[in-house]
Amino acid sequence: MAPSFPTGREILLVGCLLVFLLSVSSSFKSTTMTITEITKLRNSYYPEETEDAGPITFESQFSLQSLSAPMVWGTGQVPQTQIVAHVPGWTIFDRLYVLDGTAYIVTDNPEAVPDRRFITSNSRPIKGNSDEEKIARLPTDKDMKIISSEEARRIFGTQADRLDGVSWLVNDPKQYITHYYHWSAELFFGLWRTYSSLDTSISPSGETVLPAPRRLVFTHIDANNWRDYAAMNQWMIYSTFPSISMEFWNDWLERKASGRPMVFDRVVFADRAAAFHGTNFLRTQRTAANAFALPGSVNWWMPIRNSVVAFSGLSDAEGRGGVAGVASAPVITYISRQGWGRRMLIPEHHERLVRELYKLRDTYGYEVNVVNMDKMSRKEQLQLAGRTTIMMGVHGNGLTSLLWMRPTPRSTVMEFFYPGGFAHDYEYTTRALGMVHYGFWGTSWFTRPDVPPVNYPEGFQGNEIPIDGELVARLCHERLTLAEEADD
């Protein structure tokens, strides 16, 4: 009988089978590497679970990625809450429980827990900081309770739904949320400064071992009331944490209505009213100032700054004051409020200031930008701020852009006040980033430690604010003639 040779169809089928087997082999190799990486990450982030959890297998990775199993203690002891870091208004908890909208700290050592007024409040609108107002905002058992592990077992039963990873929870009313400065330079500033205290080795390039928060929860505002009029709030959150989910008041009500206990793996808990009790707040009127009592890296803000600036399209080289390794001229940016309607310079003084700045440009080659931020796109604002060496302007929201400057020994913010007036907003924020701030009253200037007390005299909000343009230009040149190597 003559030998039978495979047909063309059979050869094609065998070839397809071979390709399939090779691809499956490759896939398993890739999956094994992913499992190893996940195991290392979990072991480093939850070391207390490593011994009992066992290795992550090919099968178990699906539940790890897709489902968050509840925390079950059965007839055993309820896992206790740990306070990882705390200052008034800013607290990091491991295993914070919530049921029916009430937060529960589970501990058999209640004397180690700070007074609740330093952690949370009843979230009523803030109408000042008098003793009566502070008392009116004090938390009740409906807001937060401290209970023993035995009591927790009676209340929660045998398990709690788990909110895995890191969460940020904001227990504030909407008053200050919808404002670019208060969102970025107070709320976000404080949340990140608190969280970054867990990594004191953040590098100048912004590298950190901290995992990104998985969710940002607002318990008292709805989804329509967190954006600012300039649309900067959403730019900031999506540029720093593009995978973050956001929950609002309605979501919180749904969780409350379920009647099921839940537990946060780790949560950074923020409460503006609670921050009012902090010593650093009383000195600066900045709620985020309390968080600076925690340990931290000098580069703590760089992960946020670099992410926002890069999202705008500014390259790392440009953000460092050069292009492709070539140094560029220092950048002076004057944020003008002329035409804004309030808090404006005397017109003649504005014009002279612009002339003096252009003289610096023509004489020394500095780059000078005179801009109205509301006339620029968000990308343009952030790119310019990321390149700026000296930023100046009348006290106002536009100076929030100082957040995106690169801190160097020459980085400077110059703020113009009506004579006798002063507020800590941008002065404190500048210093918190490691830069130098100068305040101006017409023909005089001041800087830390010789700053005046907070004051809002008649004329503070007006349109007759004086400034000596020649004085400003002279101080600019002095700052920019510091040794160039100081920037390295």
Side-chain angles (χ1 to χ4, degrees):
M1 185 175 179
S4 174
F5 294 99
T7 65
R9 183 170 179 271
E10 289 171 335
I11 292 174
L12 180 61
L13 286 173
V14 171
C16 290
L17 180 61
L18 193 56
V19 170
F20 172 76
L21 291 174
L22 288 172
S23 66
V24 168
S25 173
S26 176
S27 297
F28 274 109
K29 182 179 180 182
S30 175
T31 302
T32 303
M33 292 174 64
T34 303
I35 292 170
T36 302
E37 292 168 358
I38 293 173
T39 304
K40 287 182 179 179
L41 177 61
R42 188 198 63 182
N43 292 351
S44 64
Y45 192 56
Y46 299 110
E48 72 280 3
E49 298 180 4
T50 303
E51 188 173 327
D52 298 330
I56 297 178
T57 64
F58 178 76
E59 292 78 13
S60 69
Q61 70 167 322
F62 294 106
S63 61
L64 176 71
Q65 294 174 346
S66 305
L67 299 174
S68 178
M71 179 184 289
V72 180
W73 51 85
T75 59
Q77 188 181 58
V78 179
Q80 295 186 41
T81 304
Q82 299 295 321
I83 297 178
V84 180
H86 168 73
V87 289
W90 311 97
T91 309
I92 302 179
F93 294 102
D94 280 355
R95 296 180 293 276
L96 179 70
Y97 297 81
V98 177
L99 177 63
D100 294 333
T102 301
Y104 288 87
I105 298 174
V106 177
T107 179
D108 292 329
N109 186 25
E111 58 274 11
V113 178
D115 190 306
R116 290 182 304 179
R117 65 194 171 102
F118 296 120
I119 301 174
T120 190
S121 71
N122 59 21
S123 304
R124 60 180 281 167
I126 296 171
K127 300 177 181 178
N129 200 30
S130 64
D131 289 341
E132 293 79 7
E133 274 295 316
K134 285 182 178 180
I135 292 172
R137 295 192 297 264
L138 289 177
T140 67
D141 282 352
K142 191 60 182 171
D143 303 300
M144 179 175 282
K145 291 187 71 173
I146 302 168
I147 60 175
S148 68
S149 57
E150 188 63 33
E151 187 177 359
R153 187 138 54 103
R154 291 197 300 270
I155 295 172
F156 302 147
T158 60
Q159 65 180 41
D161 296 331
R162 179 174 163 225
L163 297 182
D164 60 349
V166 179
S167 305
W168 286 3
L169 188 150
V170 180
N171 195 49
D172 295 351
K174 76 170 189 176
Q175 279 173 291
Y176 297 91
I177 301 296
T178 58
H179 190 282
Y180 178 31
Y181 174 80
H182 293 295
W183 170 278
S184 299
E186 282 202 295
L187 178 60
F188 215 89
F189 217 60
L191 283 166
W192 181 255
R193 181 59 182 83
T194 302
Y195 185 39
S196 70
S197 69
L198 303 183
D199 180 8
T200 58
S201 302
I202 296 175
S203 69
S205 62
E207 295 175 354
T208 177
V209 299
L210 295 172
R214 295 192 181 180
R215 63 192 63 83
L216 176 57
V217 181
F218 293 95
T219 58
H220 295 283
I221 65 173
D222 61 47
N224 294 321
N225 285 289
W226 68 278
R227 296 171 175 85
D228 64 306
Y229 69 86
M232 298 298 287
N233 289 2
Q234 54 267 42
W235 182 285
M236 185 177 182
I237 189 68
Y238 295 137
S239 63
T240 50
F241 306 122
S243 297
I244 201 168
S245 64
M246 299 181 69
E247 295 190 17
F248 298 93
W249 173 64
N250 289 341
D251 304 294
W252 197 247
L253 288 181
E254 289 291 342
R255 290 190 181 275
K256 178 179 177 180
S258 73
R260 293 177 60 85
M262 60 182 181
V263 57
F264 289 95
D265 274 358
R266 172 164 288 177
V267 60
V268 184
F269 191 102
D271 190 294
R272 184 179 183 87
F276 282 10
H277 297 284
T279 302
N280 284 354
F281 170 81
L282 296 175
R283 284 202 297 257
T284 65
Q285 288 74 57
R286 300 298 96 207
T287 57
N290 294 335
F292 285 81
L294 297 170
S297 165
V298 68
N299 305 304
W300 71 276
W301 185 244
M302 296 309 286
I304 306 300
R305 181 264 176 192
N306 290 355
S307 294
V308 172
V309 169
F311 192 74
S312 74
L314 191 70
S315 71
D316 183 62
E318 291 172 310
R320 290 176 174 271
V323 179
V326 179
S328 63
V331 178
I332 300 173
T333 298
Y334 165 35
I335 300 173
S336 172
R337 290 180 62 92
Q338 302 305 103
W340 187 253
R342 68 187 186 117
R343 261 184 272 134
M344 300 191 298
L345 294 178
I346 297 169
E348 296 80 7
H349 290 207
H350 161 77
E351 292 166 5
R352 184 181 180 192
L353 172 62
V354 172
R355 289 197 301 271
E356 293 294 335
L357 294 177
Y358 285 155
K359 281 184 185 178
L360 289 178
R361 177 196 63 189
D362 298 339
T363 304
Y364 302 105
Y366 303 149
E367 178 183 335
V368 172
N369 303 282
V370 179
V371 299
N372 296 87
M373 285 299 198
D374 59 308
K375 301 292 193 298
M376 304 172 69
S377 71
R378 291 179 295 182
K379 283 188 176 183
E380 291 170 335
Q381 292 181 46
L382 294 167
Q383 287 179 1
L384 179 58
R387 297 191 304 108
T388 293
T389 316
I390 295 180
M391 182 176 290
M392 66 181 67
V394 174
H395 173 83
N397 200 33
L399 289 178
T400 304
S401 289
L402 70 88
L403 292 169
W404 319 123
M405 295 170 62
R406 178 174 174 261
T408 73
R410 294 193 294 181
S411 299
T412 309
V413 175
M414 299 183 175
E415 187 174 6
F416 311 146
F417 296 97
Y418 186 82
F422 178 69
H424 280 291
D425 305 47
Y426 305 101
E427 187 271 339
Y428 175 78
T429 307
T430 301
R431 290 190 297 107
L433 295 174
M435 302 187 295
V436 174
H437 178 278
Y438 290 91
F440 287 81
W441 287 345
T443 58
S444 63
W445 59 268
F446 52 85
T447 190
R448 179 68 52 177
D450 299 318
V451 296
V454 173
N455 189 32
Y456 301 94
E458 186 176 351
F460 186 90
Q461 305 286 3
N463 300 325
E464 295 293 318
I465 298 174
I467 193 65
D468 184 337
E470 185 178 359
L471 172 64
V472 172
R474 184 167 67 249
L475 193 55
C476 282
H477 184 54
E478 289 179 8
R479 293 291 301 156
L480 294 177
T481 50
L482 293 173
E484 290 188 6
E485 56 268 22
D487 281 354
D488 296 331

